[in-house]
Amino acid sequence: MNKLMPILLFLCASVSVLTTIGIVVTLISETYQFFQKIPIFDFLFGTKWSPLIPPKSFGVLPLLSGTLMITFIACLVAIPLGLASAIYLSEYAPKRVRKVIKPILEVLAGVPTIVYGYFALSLVTPLIQSIFHSAGVFNALSAGIVVGIMIIPMVCSLSEDAMSSVPRSLRDGAYALGATRFEVALKIVVPAAFSGIVASAVLAFSRAIGETMIVTVAAGSTPNMTANPLESIQTMTAYIVQVSLGDTPHGTVEYGSIFAVGMTLFVITFLLNILAQYIARRFREEY
C-alpha cells in the first residue's frame, strides 16, 4: 500500500496537467485552422466584428475593447472597496465582527454569476437609467459595476490574508513612535503587504476579463467599438456563448472564430497570471 499510494496520488495530480495540455492543444489546433482562412492581421487589427451577418468581418478589436471596458469599470469598483474592506477586517474589526463578515464575503463569492446578471438587469440598470436617461437596457456600465461587486470578495480576502501575515512587531514599533491606527494601516501594513495586494488586484483583473454570464445578460450582444459605457457592447466571452448555442455548423469559419477568440482570451489571462506571480515574487517582503 505504501508503494501504491504515491502512484495513485501522482495520477490524481496528473489529471489537471493533462487536462490543461488537452485544452491548449485543442485551442491551438482549431485556431490554426481558423487562421488558414482568415489572415491573422485582419483578425487582430480589424475594427469590425460581424462573423454571422454578411458582409462578414473578423476584426476582434470591438470585442477586445468591450471586454477591457467591462474589466476597467469592474476594477474601479472592486479594488477600492475590496482594499478598504480588507483594511477594516485586518486592522479595525473586532474578532467577533471578522468572524461574521469574512464568511459572508466568501458566500458572496459563491453566488452563481447568472444571478448577478439578472441583478444587474433588474436593479442596477433601472437605477442607471434613472440617472442617465440615454442609457440603454443593455449597457456596459451596469455589467461592469456588477462584475466589480462580484470580485470584491476576491480582492478583500486575498488582501486581508496578506495584511494579516504582516508581523505584529511592525505595528507595535509604529505605535511606539506615536502613529495612529490609520497611519499604521496605510504607512506600515499596506506597504508591507504590497506584493499580496497587487497580486490580488491582478488576479481580480484576470477574473473580470473572463467573466461570462453577467456580461451576456446585462451588456448586450452588440460588437460596438465605443468609449461610451452607456451603450450596449459585446465581450469576447459573450460572443463565445452566442456562437456556441448550436446554430453554427461545425467546421465553418464562424465556428472556428470562437476558438480564435478563446485563444486570444487564454493568452491575455495567461499573461496576467504570469504578471501576478512576478509581482508577488518581486515585491515580497521577508520577515
Side-chain angles (χ1 to χ4, degrees), residues 248-284:
T248 305
H250 183 276
T252 61
V253 67
E254 295 84 357
Y255 180 81
S257 67
I258 64 176
F259 290 95
V261 173
M263 175 58 82
T264 306
L265 194 61
F266 175 80
V267 170
I268 293 173
T269 53
F270 182 69
L271 293 177
L272 285 172
N273 286 333
I274 292 177
L275 177 64
Q277 292 184 9
Y278 168 76
I279 291 174
R281 292 176 183 172
R282 174 67 177 80
F283 297 99
R284 179 176 295 165

Side-chain angles (χ1 to χ4, degrees), residues 25-218:
V25 169
T26 303
L27 272 178
I28 291 175
S29 173
E30 296 288 347
T31 304
Y32 176 76
Q33 294 181 29
F34 172 78
F35 286 126
Q36 293 295 305
K37 302 171 185 173
I38 304 297
I40 189 170
F41 184 86
D42 294 347
F43 177 77
L44 292 178
F45 299 103
T47 57
K48 186 177 180 183
W49 182 259
S50 178
L52 305 177
I53 302 174
K56 297 182 179 180
S57 302
F58 294 90
V60 79
L61 286 182
L63 296 183
L64 185 60
S65 68
T67 302
L68 293 179
M69 181 187 293
I70 293 287
T71 304
F72 179 71
I73 295 171
C75 288
L76 282 182
V77 173
I79 293 177
L81 291 179
L83 185 57
S85 303
I87 291 174
Y88 171 73
L89 289 176
S90 173
E91 305 303 314
Y92 288 91
K95 287 185 178 179
R96 290 183 179 178
V97 176
R98 188 182 306 160
K99 287 182 179 178
V100 172
I101 292 181
K102 196 162 185 182
I104 291 176
L105 282 172
E106 289 170 354
V107 169
L108 193 64
V111 174
T113 55
I114 187 69
V115 176
Y116 280 110
Y118 286 111
F119 170 72
L121 198 60
S122 61
L123 184 65
V124 179
T125 296
L127 183 62
I128 290 173
Q129 286 179 318
S130 67
I131 300 172
F132 304 102
H133 299 295
S134 61
V137 175
F138 302 102
N139 61 80
L141 183 59
S142 173
I145 290 173
V146 176
V147 171
I149 293 172
M150 183 195 70
I151 60 177
I152 284 176
M154 174 186 286
V155 178
C156 176
S157 181
L158 294 176
S159 298
E160 198 269 339
D161 289 342
M163 292 178 190
S164 298
S165 65
V166 175
R168 184 70 198 174
S169 58
L170 291 181
R171 295 178 176 83
D172 293 340
Y175 286 130
L177 293 174
T180 64
R181 178 174 287 191
F182 186 68
E183 290 172 333
V184 171
L186 283 190
K187 297 182 179 179
I188 301 297
V189 177
V190 170
F194 183 73
S195 64
I197 293 171
V198 174
S200 74
V202 176
L203 288 175
F205 189 93
S206 179
R207 177 71 181 85
I209 208 169
E211 169 49 34
T212 303
M213 294 314 299
I214 297 175
V215 294
T216 301
V217 173

